[in-house]
Amino acid sequence: MAKETKRERFVRIAVARTNRIIDNMRLLGNCSSKSNYEYTDEDVKKIFNALEKELKQTKNRFLGVDSKEERFTLE
């Protein structure tokens, strides 16, 4: 059995993690149903600001720029 290369391991893990993130974003989109949930425009703004900030930080890590991690909350 051949040992998995770093490239093969990256592709396998990156594909799985990216698809998991996409699936979770779709689940988050389900929260947009006004018939099932109540939220404010401010809530939506906070959610998307947090997502955009994390996406930018993650991209920067691939570019070699470090940043601190923060947890999201609506409270």
Side-chain angles (χ1 to χ4, degrees):
M1 179 185 251
K3 184 178 178 187
E4 186 177 48
T5 67
K6 288 182 178 183
R7 173 70 185 161
E8 290 167 336
R9 187 170 60 247
F10 172 78
V11 169
R12 178 177 52 83
I13 292 171
V15 167
R17 290 180 181 178
T18 301
N19 282 321
R20 188 170 54 224
I21 291 166
I22 291 168
D23 290 343
N24 282 319
M25 290 179 71
R26 289 175 180 155
L27 287 174
L28 177 60
N30 292 344
C31 291
S32 67
S33 172
K34 290 275 191 177
S35 62
N36 292 317
Y37 304 102
E38 182 178 314
Y39 54 88
T40 66
D41 288 343
E42 185 63 25
D43 292 334
V44 173
K45 183 179 175 181
K46 286 179 182 179
I47 291 167
F48 283 94
N49 283 342
L51 292 172
E52 290 166 359
K53 182 178 179 181
E54 190 60 36
L55 182 60
K56 183 177 180 180
Q57 289 175 348
T58 302
K59 184 176 181 180
N60 282 340
R61 288 182 65 189
F62 278 93
L63 299 173
V65 179
D66 287 331
S67 58
K68 69 176 190 169
E69 295 179 8
E70 297 177 17
R71 299 299 297 174
F72 173 73
T73 181
L74 282 175
E75 288 131 25

